Protein backbone atom coordinates (compact mmCIF):
# COMPACT_ATOMS: atom_id res chain seq x y z
CA UNK A 1 0.00 0.00 0.00
CA UNK A 2 1.12 3.54 -0.71
CA UNK A 3 0.49 6.63 1.41
CA UNK A 4 -2.57 8.67 0.45
CA UNK A 5 -1.73 11.32 -2.16
CA UNK A 6 -1.46 14.94 -1.12
CA UNK A 7 -1.40 17.61 -3.82
CA UNK A 8 1.46 20.09 -3.70
CA UNK A 9 2.08 22.89 -6.15
CA UNK A 10 5.23 22.63 -8.27
CA UNK A 11 7.26 25.78 -7.64
CA UNK A 12 10.61 24.91 -9.19
CA UNK A 13 12.58 22.07 -10.77
CA UNK A 14 15.21 22.30 -8.08
CA UNK A 15 12.85 20.70 -5.58
CA UNK A 16 10.16 18.87 -7.47
CA UNK A 17 7.35 16.95 -5.85
CA UNK A 18 4.06 15.90 -7.33
CA UNK A 19 1.24 13.63 -6.30
CA UNK A 20 -1.64 11.91 -7.96
CA UNK A 21 -5.10 11.12 -6.75
CA UNK A 22 -5.78 7.88 -8.63
CA UNK A 23 -8.84 7.69 -10.79
CA UNK A 24 -10.49 4.82 -12.55
CA UNK A 25 -8.99 4.55 -16.05
CA UNK A 26 -9.43 1.03 -17.31
CA UNK A 27 -6.70 -1.21 -15.97
CA UNK A 28 -5.86 -0.59 -12.32
CA UNK A 29 -2.90 1.75 -12.09
CA UNK A 30 -1.43 3.63 -9.24
CA UNK A 31 1.62 5.82 -9.04
CA UNK A 32 4.51 6.17 -6.69
CA UNK A 33 6.55 9.01 -5.19
CA UNK A 34 9.79 10.81 -6.10
CA UNK A 35 11.99 13.84 -5.56
CA UNK A 36 14.12 15.29 -8.32
CA UNK A 37 17.12 17.57 -7.79
CA UNK A 38 18.13 19.51 -10.86
CA UNK A 39 21.80 19.38 -11.80
CA UNK A 40 23.59 20.53 -14.92
CA UNK A 41 26.01 17.64 -14.69
CA UNK A 42 25.61 14.40 -16.62
CA UNK A 43 27.96 11.61 -15.65
CA UNK A 44 28.39 7.86 -15.43
CA UNK A 45 30.27 5.81 -12.90
CA UNK A 46 31.39 2.22 -13.04
CA UNK A 47 31.23 -0.24 -10.21
CA UNK A 48 30.88 -3.96 -10.04
CA UNK A 49 27.57 -4.94 -8.50
CA UNK A 50 27.98 -6.94 -5.33
CA UNK A 51 24.31 -7.71 -4.89
CA UNK A 52 22.96 -11.13 -5.84
CA UNK A 53 19.36 -10.11 -5.27
CA UNK A 54 17.70 -9.68 -8.69
CA UNK A 55 14.93 -7.53 -7.25
CA UNK A 56 14.86 -3.78 -7.77
CA UNK A 57 16.02 -1.87 -4.72
CA UNK A 58 13.02 0.46 -4.73
CA UNK A 59 10.75 -0.10 -1.77
CA UNK A 60 6.99 0.33 -1.80
CA UNK A 61 7.32 3.07 0.80
CA UNK A 62 9.18 5.25 -1.70
CA UNK A 63 12.58 4.82 -0.02
CA UNK A 64 15.54 3.37 -1.91
CA UNK A 65 18.73 1.52 -1.18
CA UNK A 66 21.64 1.96 -3.56
CA UNK A 67 25.17 0.71 -3.98
CA UNK A 68 26.19 4.00 -5.58
CA UNK A 69 25.79 7.72 -5.10
CA UNK A 70 22.72 8.28 -7.31
CA UNK A 71 19.45 7.48 -5.55
CA UNK A 72 16.35 8.03 -7.69
CA UNK A 73 13.05 7.90 -5.84
CA UNK A 74 9.58 7.07 -7.13
CA UNK A 75 7.34 9.91 -8.33
CA UNK A 76 3.58 9.68 -8.82
CA UNK A 77 2.23 10.51 -12.25
CA UNK A 78 -0.23 13.39 -11.90
CA UNK A 79 -3.56 13.19 -13.67
CA UNK A 80 -3.69 15.77 -16.45
CA UNK A 81 0.09 16.00 -16.33
CA UNK A 82 1.84 18.62 -18.40
CA UNK A 83 3.35 17.38 -21.69
CA UNK A 84 1.17 14.26 -21.77
CA UNK A 85 0.60 13.32 -25.40
CA UNK A 86 -2.50 11.69 -26.86
CA UNK A 87 -2.24 7.92 -27.18
CA UNK A 88 -0.14 7.52 -24.06
CA UNK A 89 -2.34 4.67 -22.84
CA UNK A 90 -2.67 0.98 -23.69
CA UNK A 91 -4.72 0.55 -26.88
CA UNK A 92 -5.87 -3.06 -26.60
CA UNK A 93 -9.67 -3.09 -26.96
CA UNK A 94 -10.34 -6.68 -25.88
CA UNK A 95 -11.08 -7.98 -29.37
CA UNK A 96 -9.49 -11.03 -31.00
CA UNK A 97 -8.19 -9.18 -34.06
CA UNK A 98 -4.47 -9.25 -34.84
CA UNK A 99 -2.94 -6.73 -32.44
CA UNK A 100 0.40 -5.73 -30.98
CA UNK A 101 1.63 -2.81 -28.92
CA UNK A 102 5.26 -1.86 -28.47
CA UNK A 103 7.12 0.72 -26.35
CA UNK A 104 10.60 2.19 -26.69
CA UNK A 105 12.59 4.07 -24.02
CA UNK A 106 16.12 5.38 -24.49
CA UNK A 107 18.69 6.91 -22.12
CA UNK A 108 21.95 8.37 -23.48
CA UNK A 109 25.09 9.00 -21.43
CA UNK A 110 27.13 11.50 -23.48
CA UNK A 111 30.30 11.37 -21.39
CA UNK A 112 30.57 7.64 -21.97
CA UNK A 113 29.25 7.72 -25.56
CA UNK A 114 26.82 4.98 -24.57
CA UNK A 115 23.07 4.57 -24.86
CA UNK A 116 20.56 2.11 -23.45
CA UNK A 117 17.43 1.31 -25.48
CA UNK A 118 14.60 -0.54 -23.71
CA UNK A 119 11.96 -2.18 -25.91
CA UNK A 120 8.78 -3.87 -24.67
CA UNK A 121 6.05 -5.57 -26.68
CA UNK A 122 2.83 -7.50 -26.20
CA UNK A 123 1.28 -9.58 -28.98
CA UNK A 124 -2.34 -10.70 -29.35
CA UNK A 125 -3.18 -10.18 -25.67
CA UNK A 126 -6.72 -11.49 -26.22
CA UNK A 127 -5.04 -14.89 -25.94
CA UNK A 128 -3.23 -15.00 -22.63
CA UNK A 129 -1.08 -17.96 -23.66
CA UNK A 130 -0.11 -19.91 -26.76
CA UNK A 131 -3.12 -20.94 -28.82
CA UNK A 132 -4.32 -24.50 -28.77
CA UNK A 133 -5.33 -26.48 -31.86
CA UNK A 134 -9.03 -25.59 -31.57
CA UNK A 135 -8.27 -21.89 -31.13
CA UNK A 136 -6.00 -21.91 -34.19
CA UNK A 137 -8.78 -23.49 -36.24
CA UNK A 138 -11.21 -20.83 -34.98
CA UNK A 139 -9.03 -17.72 -35.19
CA UNK A 140 -6.14 -18.70 -37.42
CA UNK A 141 -2.47 -18.79 -36.39
CA UNK A 142 -1.50 -16.14 -33.87
CA UNK A 143 1.71 -15.38 -32.03
CA UNK A 144 1.31 -14.44 -28.39
CA UNK A 145 3.42 -13.18 -25.54
CA UNK A 146 5.44 -10.40 -23.97
CA UNK A 147 9.01 -9.44 -24.84
CA UNK A 148 11.63 -7.22 -23.20
CA UNK A 149 14.76 -6.27 -25.15
CA UNK A 150 17.64 -3.93 -24.34
CA UNK A 151 20.31 -2.68 -26.71
CA UNK A 152 22.92 -1.40 -24.30
CA UNK A 153 26.51 -0.27 -23.85
CA UNK A 154 29.04 -1.51 -26.42
CA UNK A 155 26.14 -2.67 -28.66
CA UNK A 156 25.49 -5.68 -26.46
CA UNK A 157 21.98 -7.09 -26.22
CA UNK A 158 19.60 -8.92 -23.92
CA UNK A 159 16.14 -10.37 -24.53
CA UNK A 160 13.63 -12.11 -22.30
CA UNK A 161 10.38 -13.42 -23.77
CA UNK A 162 7.33 -15.34 -22.60
CA UNK A 163 4.53 -16.74 -24.77
CA UNK A 164 2.11 -15.84 -21.98
CA UNK A 165 0.76 -12.33 -21.37
CA UNK A 166 -1.35 -13.04 -18.28
CA UNK A 167 1.16 -11.15 -16.11
CA UNK A 168 1.22 -8.05 -18.33
CA UNK A 169 -0.71 -4.91 -17.38
CA UNK A 170 -1.18 -1.52 -18.97
CA UNK A 171 -3.20 1.58 -18.11
CA UNK A 172 -5.94 2.54 -20.51
CA UNK A 173 -5.21 6.28 -20.71
CA UNK A 174 -1.69 6.80 -19.34
CA UNK A 175 1.82 5.60 -20.13
CA UNK A 176 1.97 3.00 -17.36
CA UNK A 177 2.73 -0.65 -17.96
CA UNK A 178 4.56 -3.61 -16.56
CA UNK A 179 5.12 -7.33 -16.78
CA UNK A 180 6.23 -10.09 -14.44
CA UNK A 181 8.33 -12.85 -15.99
CA UNK A 182 9.12 -14.44 -12.62
CA UNK A 183 7.21 -13.49 -9.49
CA UNK A 184 7.81 -13.96 -5.80
CA UNK A 185 6.82 -17.35 -4.43
CA UNK A 186 3.24 -17.59 -3.18
CA UNK A 187 2.43 -14.04 -4.34
CA UNK A 188 0.21 -12.88 -7.18
CA UNK A 189 2.01 -10.82 -9.87
CA UNK A 190 0.98 -7.17 -9.64
CA UNK A 191 -1.49 -5.48 -11.99
CA UNK A 192 -0.28 -2.01 -11.02
CA UNK A 193 2.96 -0.34 -9.89
CA UNK A 194 4.18 -2.62 -7.14
CA UNK A 195 7.53 -4.07 -8.04
CA UNK A 196 9.98 -5.07 -5.34
CA UNK A 197 7.55 -6.94 -3.10
CA UNK A 198 6.16 -9.16 -5.86
CA UNK A 199 8.50 -9.21 -8.89
CA UNK A 200 11.80 -11.04 -9.29
CA UNK A 201 12.17 -10.73 -13.07
CA UNK A 202 10.19 -8.17 -15.04
CA UNK A 203 9.76 -4.46 -15.67
CA UNK A 204 7.53 -1.49 -14.84
CA UNK A 205 7.50 1.96 -16.41
CA UNK A 206 5.59 5.24 -16.16
CA UNK A 207 6.26 8.69 -17.66
CA UNK A 208 8.37 9.52 -14.60
CA UNK A 209 9.80 6.20 -13.43
CA UNK A 210 11.38 3.08 -14.95
CA UNK A 211 12.72 -0.03 -13.26
CA UNK A 212 13.28 -3.70 -13.88
CA UNK A 213 15.42 -6.80 -13.92
CA UNK A 214 15.56 -9.24 -16.84
CA UNK A 215 17.60 -12.34 -17.66
CA UNK A 216 18.62 -13.30 -21.17
CA UNK A 217 16.73 -16.38 -22.33
CA UNK A 218 19.41 -17.72 -24.67
CA UNK A 219 17.46 -17.13 -27.90
CA UNK A 220 19.95 -14.66 -29.41
CA UNK A 221 23.07 -16.58 -30.41
CA UNK A 222 23.57 -14.29 -33.43
CA UNK A 223 24.57 -11.27 -31.31
CA UNK A 224 26.82 -10.45 -28.33
CA UNK A 225 24.60 -10.73 -25.24
CA UNK A 226 24.75 -10.01 -21.52
CA UNK A 227 23.32 -12.42 -18.96
CA UNK A 228 21.30 -9.96 -16.87
CA UNK A 229 20.34 -6.31 -16.68
CA UNK A 230 18.94 -4.28 -13.81
CA UNK A 231 17.90 -0.62 -13.83
CA UNK A 232 16.11 2.06 -11.87
CA UNK A 233 15.76 5.69 -12.91
CA UNK A 234 13.44 8.68 -12.76
CA UNK A 235 12.63 11.03 -15.65
CA UNK A 236 11.65 14.67 -15.96
CA UNK A 237 10.01 15.32 -19.35
CA UNK A 238 11.20 18.41 -21.25
CA UNK A 239 9.39 17.94 -24.56
CA UNK A 240 6.28 15.95 -25.43
CA UNK A 241 5.17 16.24 -29.06
CA UNK A 242 4.35 19.90 -29.57
CA UNK A 243 5.23 23.37 -28.34
CA UNK A 244 6.06 23.63 -24.65
CA UNK A 245 3.09 25.18 -22.86
CA UNK A 246 0.63 24.09 -25.56
CA UNK A 247 -1.60 21.08 -25.98
CA UNK A 248 0.47 18.15 -27.20
CA UNK A 249 -0.21 16.51 -30.57
CA UNK A 250 -0.89 13.09 -31.97
CA UNK A 251 2.21 12.19 -33.94
CA UNK A 252 0.14 10.77 -36.80
CA UNK A 253 -2.73 13.26 -36.58
CA UNK A 254 -6.20 12.89 -35.14
CA UNK A 255 -7.05 9.94 -37.41
CA UNK A 256 -4.81 7.85 -35.15
CA UNK A 257 -7.80 7.66 -32.81
CA UNK A 258 -9.32 5.16 -35.25
CA UNK A 259 -8.02 1.72 -36.34
CA UNK A 260 -7.07 2.79 -39.88
CA UNK A 261 -3.69 3.47 -41.50
CA UNK A 262 -2.06 1.03 -39.08
CA UNK A 263 0.36 0.67 -37.47
CA UNK A 264 0.01 3.86 -35.50
CA UNK A 265 2.95 5.64 -33.91
CA UNK A 266 3.21 8.14 -31.06
CA UNK A 267 6.24 9.94 -29.70
CA UNK A 268 5.38 10.14 -26.00
CA UNK A 269 8.40 12.16 -24.88
CA UNK A 270 10.63 13.74 -27.51
CA UNK A 271 13.10 14.75 -24.82
CA UNK A 272 13.59 14.38 -21.09
CA UNK A 273 16.26 14.22 -18.39
CA UNK A 274 16.72 10.98 -16.46
CA UNK A 275 18.52 10.25 -13.19
CA UNK A 276 19.39 6.81 -11.85
CA UNK A 277 21.47 3.75 -12.62
CA UNK A 278 21.76 0.74 -14.93
CA UNK A 279 23.70 -2.44 -14.14
CA UNK A 280 24.99 -3.96 -17.37
CA UNK A 281 27.61 -6.60 -18.11
CA UNK A 282 29.33 -6.29 -14.73
CA UNK A 283 29.31 -2.48 -14.65
CA UNK A 284 27.03 -0.02 -12.92
CA UNK A 285 26.31 3.14 -14.93
CA UNK A 286 25.09 6.06 -12.82
CA UNK A 287 23.77 9.23 -14.39
CA UNK A 288 22.06 12.50 -13.55
CA UNK A 289 19.94 14.44 -16.05
CA UNK A 290 20.88 12.14 -18.91
CA UNK A 291 18.99 12.84 -22.18
CA UNK A 292 16.09 10.41 -22.62
CA UNK A 293 13.28 9.62 -25.06
CA UNK A 294 10.15 7.45 -25.42
CA UNK A 295 7.74 6.37 -28.16
CA UNK A 296 5.27 3.61 -28.97
CA UNK A 297 3.57 1.70 -31.82
CA UNK A 298 0.32 -0.24 -31.98
CA UNK A 299 -2.01 -1.89 -34.47
CA UNK A 300 -2.30 -5.00 -36.58
CA UNK A 301 1.36 -5.31 -37.59
CA UNK A 302 4.59 -3.39 -38.13
CA UNK A 303 5.10 -1.62 -41.50
CA UNK A 304 6.33 -3.70 -44.41
CA UNK A 305 9.54 -1.66 -44.44
CA UNK A 306 10.78 1.34 -42.43
CA UNK A 307 13.61 3.69 -41.41
CA UNK A 308 14.13 5.79 -38.28
CA UNK A 309 16.55 8.39 -36.87
CA UNK A 310 16.38 9.81 -33.33
CA UNK A 311 18.76 11.97 -31.31
CA UNK A 312 18.79 14.02 -28.08
CA UNK A 313 22.55 14.63 -27.78
CA UNK A 314 23.82 17.53 -29.91
CA UNK A 315 26.74 19.93 -30.17
CA UNK A 316 26.36 23.48 -31.40
CA UNK A 317 23.09 24.59 -29.79
CA UNK A 318 22.01 26.31 -26.60
CA UNK A 319 19.37 24.37 -24.70
CA UNK A 320 17.71 21.04 -25.38
CA UNK A 321 17.34 19.78 -28.97
CA UNK A 322 15.37 16.65 -29.86
CA UNK A 323 14.99 15.05 -33.29
CA UNK A 324 12.75 12.23 -34.45
CA UNK A 325 12.48 11.29 -38.13
CA UNK A 326 10.92 8.15 -39.57
CA UNK A 327 9.20 6.68 -42.57
CA UNK A 328 7.60 3.44 -43.60
CA UNK A 329 5.73 1.46 -46.20
CA UNK A 330 2.39 0.73 -44.56
CA UNK A 331 -0.72 -1.08 -45.69
CA UNK A 332 -3.72 0.92 -46.90
CA UNK A 333 -7.02 -0.28 -45.44
CA UNK A 334 -9.24 -1.91 -48.03
CA UNK A 335 -10.19 -5.15 -49.71
CA UNK A 336 -6.98 -5.31 -51.75
CA UNK A 337 -3.43 -5.34 -50.40
CA UNK A 338 -2.15 -1.86 -51.19
CA UNK A 339 0.70 0.07 -49.57
CA UNK A 340 1.70 3.71 -49.25
CA UNK A 341 4.76 5.66 -48.15
CA UNK A 342 4.49 7.71 -44.95
CA UNK A 343 7.18 9.82 -43.32
CA UNK A 344 7.74 12.76 -40.97
CA UNK A 345 10.38 14.85 -39.25
CA UNK A 346 9.86 16.46 -35.85
CA UNK A 347 12.36 18.77 -34.13
CA UNK A 348 12.02 20.40 -30.70
CA UNK A 349 14.29 23.35 -29.98
CA UNK A 350 13.94 26.29 -27.63
CA UNK A 351 10.47 25.17 -26.56
CA UNK A 352 9.22 25.28 -30.16
CA UNK A 353 8.09 22.26 -32.20
CA UNK A 354 9.08 22.22 -35.88
CA UNK A 355 6.80 19.68 -37.57
CA UNK A 356 7.22 18.37 -41.11
CA UNK A 357 4.44 15.95 -42.03
CA UNK A 358 2.62 15.01 -45.27
CA UNK A 359 -0.45 17.06 -44.32
CA UNK A 360 1.46 20.33 -43.90
CA UNK A 361 4.16 19.90 -46.53
CA UNK A 362 6.47 17.39 -48.19
CA UNK A 363 8.98 14.89 -46.77
CA UNK A 364 11.64 13.24 -48.98
CA UNK A 365 14.29 10.65 -48.23
CA UNK A 366 17.15 8.56 -49.54
CA UNK A 367 18.06 5.60 -47.33
CA UNK A 368 20.71 2.97 -48.04
CA UNK A 369 20.35 -0.64 -46.99
CA UNK A 370 22.58 0.39 -44.10
CA UNK A 371 24.90 3.25 -43.19
CA UNK A 372 23.28 6.32 -44.80
CA UNK A 373 20.09 8.25 -44.05
CA UNK A 374 19.19 11.50 -45.85
CA UNK A 375 15.83 13.09 -45.01
CA UNK A 376 14.49 16.53 -45.90
CA UNK A 377 11.19 18.27 -45.41
CA UNK A 378 9.42 21.56 -45.82
CA UNK A 379 6.21 23.17 -44.67
CA UNK A 380 4.78 26.65 -45.19
CA UNK A 381 7.30 28.35 -42.91
CA UNK A 382 10.41 26.17 -42.52
CA UNK A 383 12.74 23.70 -44.19
CA UNK A 384 14.72 20.87 -42.58
CA UNK A 385 17.54 18.63 -43.70
CA UNK A 386 19.38 15.86 -41.90
CA UNK A 387 22.11 13.44 -42.85
CA UNK A 388 23.04 10.46 -40.67
CA UNK A 389 25.82 7.98 -41.32
CA UNK A 390 27.44 5.13 -39.43
CA UNK A 391 30.37 2.78 -39.92
CA UNK A 392 29.08 0.63 -37.07
CA UNK A 393 27.85 -2.76 -38.39
CA UNK A 394 24.66 -2.39 -36.36
CA UNK A 395 22.88 -4.83 -34.06
CA UNK A 396 19.94 -6.96 -35.15
CA UNK A 397 16.87 -6.42 -32.98
CA UNK A 398 13.47 -8.08 -32.80
CA UNK A 399 10.11 -6.62 -33.74
CA UNK A 400 6.57 -8.05 -33.40
CA UNK A 401 5.48 -9.39 -36.80
CA UNK A 402 2.23 -10.97 -37.96
CA UNK A 403 4.12 -13.68 -39.85
CA UNK A 404 6.62 -14.86 -37.20
CA UNK A 405 5.88 -13.14 -33.89
CA UNK A 406 8.73 -11.39 -32.06
CA UNK A 407 11.52 -12.12 -34.52
CA UNK A 408 14.72 -10.47 -35.81
CA UNK A 409 13.42 -7.78 -38.16
CA UNK A 410 15.54 -4.61 -37.93
CA UNK A 411 19.06 -3.31 -37.41
CA UNK A 412 20.07 -0.46 -35.07
CA UNK A 413 23.03 1.55 -33.91
CA UNK A 414 23.30 4.34 -31.34
CA UNK A 415 26.56 5.74 -32.69
CA UNK A 416 25.38 7.48 -35.84
CA UNK A 417 27.06 10.69 -37.01
CA UNK A 418 24.32 13.26 -37.63
CA UNK A 419 24.06 16.77 -39.06
CA UNK A 420 20.74 18.58 -38.59
CA UNK A 421 19.80 21.98 -40.04
CA UNK A 422 16.60 24.07 -40.09
CA UNK A 423 15.95 27.25 -42.06
CA UNK A 424 13.16 29.76 -42.35
CA UNK A 425 11.44 29.34 -45.69
CA UNK A 426 11.40 32.36 -47.97
CA UNK A 427 8.35 33.58 -49.88
CA UNK A 428 9.69 32.03 -53.08
CA UNK A 429 10.18 28.66 -51.41
CA UNK A 430 13.93 28.86 -50.81
CA UNK A 431 16.14 28.59 -47.74
CA UNK A 432 16.21 31.77 -45.65
CA UNK A 433 17.79 32.42 -42.28
CA UNK A 434 19.29 29.35 -40.62
CA UNK A 435 17.63 28.61 -37.27
CA UNK A 436 19.51 25.50 -36.21
CA UNK A 437 22.82 23.92 -37.28
CA UNK A 438 23.91 21.08 -34.97
CA UNK A 439 25.81 17.81 -35.08
CA UNK A 440 25.96 14.62 -33.04
CA UNK A 441 27.93 11.40 -32.87
CA UNK A 442 25.27 9.64 -30.77
CA UNK A 443 22.30 9.41 -33.12
CA UNK A 444 20.13 6.30 -33.01
CA UNK A 445 19.57 4.95 -36.53
CA UNK A 446 17.51 2.03 -37.78
CA UNK A 447 16.30 0.21 -40.86
CA UNK A 448 13.71 -2.56 -40.68
CA UNK A 449 11.50 -4.90 -42.62
CA UNK A 450 12.15 -5.24 -46.30
CA UNK A 451 13.12 -6.16 -48.87
CA UNK A 452 16.13 -3.79 -48.92
CA UNK A 453 17.62 -4.72 -52.28
CA UNK A 454 18.85 -1.21 -53.01
CA UNK A 455 18.69 2.43 -51.88
CA UNK A 456 15.16 3.52 -51.00
CA UNK A 457 14.26 6.92 -52.41
CA UNK A 458 10.85 8.37 -51.75
CA UNK A 459 8.66 11.40 -51.24
CA UNK A 460 5.37 11.70 -49.42
CA UNK A 461 2.64 14.32 -49.43
CA UNK A 462 -0.94 13.68 -48.42
CA UNK A 463 -3.77 13.83 -50.99
CA UNK A 464 -5.63 17.12 -50.81
CA UNK A 465 -8.69 15.60 -49.14
CA UNK A 466 -6.62 13.90 -46.43
CA UNK A 467 -4.48 17.03 -46.04
CA UNK A 468 -7.53 19.19 -45.40
CA UNK A 469 -9.02 16.66 -43.01
CA UNK A 470 -5.85 16.34 -40.92
CA UNK A 471 -5.40 20.11 -40.80
CA UNK A 472 -8.80 20.54 -39.15
CA UNK A 473 -8.38 21.62 -35.50
CA UNK A 474 -9.89 18.42 -34.13
CA UNK A 475 -9.39 17.88 -30.40
CA UNK A 476 -10.20 14.20 -30.16
CA UNK A 477 -9.70 14.07 -26.40
CA UNK A 478 -12.13 16.94 -25.86
CA UNK A 479 -14.70 15.31 -28.16
CA UNK A 480 -14.52 11.98 -26.40
CA UNK A 481 -14.50 13.82 -23.09
CA UNK A 482 -18.14 14.69 -23.79
CA UNK A 483 -18.90 10.97 -24.02
CA UNK A 484 -16.24 9.16 -21.96
CA UNK A 485 -17.87 5.77 -22.50
CA UNK A 486 -17.03 6.11 -26.23
CA UNK A 487 -13.39 7.10 -25.69
CA UNK A 488 -11.15 4.53 -27.38
CA UNK A 489 -8.57 2.75 -25.23
CA UNK A 490 -5.13 4.31 -25.33
CA UNK A 491 -6.24 7.85 -26.16
Amino acid sequence: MFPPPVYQQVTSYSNFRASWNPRSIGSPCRSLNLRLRRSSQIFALDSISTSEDPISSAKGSGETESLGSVNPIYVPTPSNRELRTPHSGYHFDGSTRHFFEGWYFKVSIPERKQSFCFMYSVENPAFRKKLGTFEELQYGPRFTGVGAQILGADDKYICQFSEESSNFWGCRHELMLGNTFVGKKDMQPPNKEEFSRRVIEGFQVTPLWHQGFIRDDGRSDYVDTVKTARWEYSTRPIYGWGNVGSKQKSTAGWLAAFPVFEPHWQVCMAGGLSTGWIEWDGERYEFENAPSYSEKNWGGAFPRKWFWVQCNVFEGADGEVALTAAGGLRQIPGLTEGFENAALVGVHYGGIFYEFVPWNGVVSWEINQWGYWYISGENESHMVELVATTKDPGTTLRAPTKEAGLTPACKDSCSGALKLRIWNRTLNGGKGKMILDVTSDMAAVEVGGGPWFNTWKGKTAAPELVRRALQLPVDEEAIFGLAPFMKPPGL
Side-chain angles (χ1 to χ4, degrees), residues 7-20:
Y7 178 78
Q8 294 179 324
Q9 185 178 7
V10 176
T11 57
S12 71
Y13 284 125
S14 62
N15 186 18
F16 174 75
R17 296 168 182 256
S19 302
W20 181 40

Side-chain angles (χ1 to χ4, degrees), residues 339-350:
F339 292 85
E340 68 169 359
N341 285 328
L344 63 79
V345 179
V347 179
H348 291 78
Y349 171 55

Side-chain angles (χ1 to χ4, degrees), residues 430-442:
K431 294 175 180 175
K433 179 182 177 182
M434 183 174 287
I435 298 172
L436 186 65
D437 185 2
V438 291
T439 60
S440 177
D441 58 1
M442 291 189 66

Side-chain angles (χ1 to χ4, degrees), residues 206-247:
T206 78
L208 308 179
W209 182 260
H210 191 187
Q211 69 184 115
F213 175 91
I214 61 173
R215 188 182 303 276
D216 189 74
D217 56 18
R219 303 166 66 243
S220 309
D221 55 2
Y222 57 86
V223 68
D224 193 4
T225 61
V226 301
K227 293 182 179 180
T228 63
R230 181 189 348 218
W231 63 96
E232 185 174 290
Y233 64 85
S234 60
T235 296
R236 176 165 58 84
I238 302 298
Y239 296 128
W241 192 252
N243 292 331
V244 173
S246 300
K247 186 174 181 61

Side-chain angles (χ1 to χ4, degrees), residues 374-447:
Y374 170 81
I375 310 167
S376 64
E378 58 182 83
N379 56 31
E380 292 183 353
S381 57
H382 295 92
M383 305 178 76
V384 66
E385 183 176 281
L386 66 99
V387 179
T389 60
T390 186
K391 295 181 180 179
D392 188 285
T395 301
T396 299
L397 304 179
R398 291 179 167 87
T401 66
K402 185 182 294 187
E403 298 79 13
L406 189 65
T407 192
C410 55
K411 183 158 57 170
D412 285 55
S413 172
C414 288
S415 58
L418 172 67
K419 186 173 183 63
L420 168 65
R421 294 180 290 177
I422 298 179
W423 299 266
N424 283 323
R425 185 183 181 190
T426 63
L427 292 177
N428 62 5
K431 294 175 180 175
K433 179 182 177 182
M434 183 174 287
I435 298 172
L436 186 65
D437 185 2
V438 291
T439 60
S440 177
D441 58 1
M442 291 189 66
V445 291
E446 179 180 82
V447 295

Side-chain angles (χ1 to χ4, degrees), residues 99-315:
F99 180 83
F100 83 95
E101 193 148 351
W103 298 262
Y104 177 97
F105 304 86
K106 179 164 76 78
V107 175
S108 298
I109 306 174
E111 301 210 350
R112 292 295 301 275
K113 302 296 183 184
Q114 302 285 10
S115 294
F116 292 85
C117 310
F118 301 81
M119 294 151 280
Y120 307 129
S121 58
V122 59
E123 299 173 83
N124 294 306
F127 308 96
R128 309 294 273 177
K129 57 183 179 180
K130 186 178 180 180
L131 274 67
T133 303
F134 178 75
E135 287 177 310
E136 283 203 2
L137 290 173
Q138 185 177 4
Y139 300 105
R142 302 289 177 89
F143 292 91
T144 63
V146 177
Q149 308 175 71
I150 306 174
L151 174 62
D154 302 317
D155 289 330
K156 293 184 179 180
Y157 175 76
I158 187 172
C159 178
Q160 187 165 3
F161 175 78
S162 170
E163 289 184 327
E164 298 188 3
S165 61
S166 56
N167 294 338
F168 176 86
W169 62 270
C171 280
R172 186 180 175 97
H173 298 304
E174 185 52 284
L175 184 63
M176 300 179 179
L177 59 136
N179 185 71
T180 302
F181 290 115
V182 178
K184 287 286 193 72
K185 185 177 180 181
D186 300 326
M187 298 193 76
Q188 282 289 107
N191 60 358
K192 61 182 181 181
E193 293 173 85
E194 186 181 2
F195 196 85
S196 60
R197 213 166 58 84
R198 294 178 179 268
V199 182
I200 295 177
E201 296 175 15
F203 59 86
Q204 290 183 8
V205 61
T206 78
L208 308 179
W209 182 260
H210 191 187
Q211 69 184 115
F213 175 91
I214 61 173
R215 188 182 303 276
D216 189 74
D217 56 18
R219 303 166 66 243
S220 309
D221 55 2
Y222 57 86
V223 68
D224 193 4
T225 61
V226 301
K227 293 182 179 180
T228 63
R230 181 189 348 218
W231 63 96
E232 185 174 290
Y233 64 85
S234 60
T235 296
R236 176 165 58 84
I238 302 298
Y239 296 128
W241 192 252
N243 292 331
V244 173
S246 300
K247 186 174 181 61
Q248 301 303 289
K249 297 184 175 185
S250 295
T251 302
W254 61 266
L255 283 176
F258 306 97
V260 294
F261 302 113
E262 290 186 337
H264 293 304
W265 177 44
Q266 179 68 49
V267 176
C268 301
M269 185 186 71
L273 298 174
S274 294
T275 296
W277 51 265
I278 301 168
E279 291 181 355
W280 180 262
D281 198 25
E283 292 187 66
R284 181 183 177 97
Y285 294 80
E286 297 188 352
F287 47 89
E288 286 189 4
N289 290 338
S292 53
Y293 172 85
S294 66
E295 66 172 49
K296 61 184 300 188
N297 303 84
W298 70 96
F302 253 56
R304 175 67 61 89
K305 178 179 179 179
W306 71 90
F307 61 86
W308 176 81
V309 178
Q310 195 282 322
C311 189
N312 293 76
V313 180
F314 288 97
E315 295 181 2

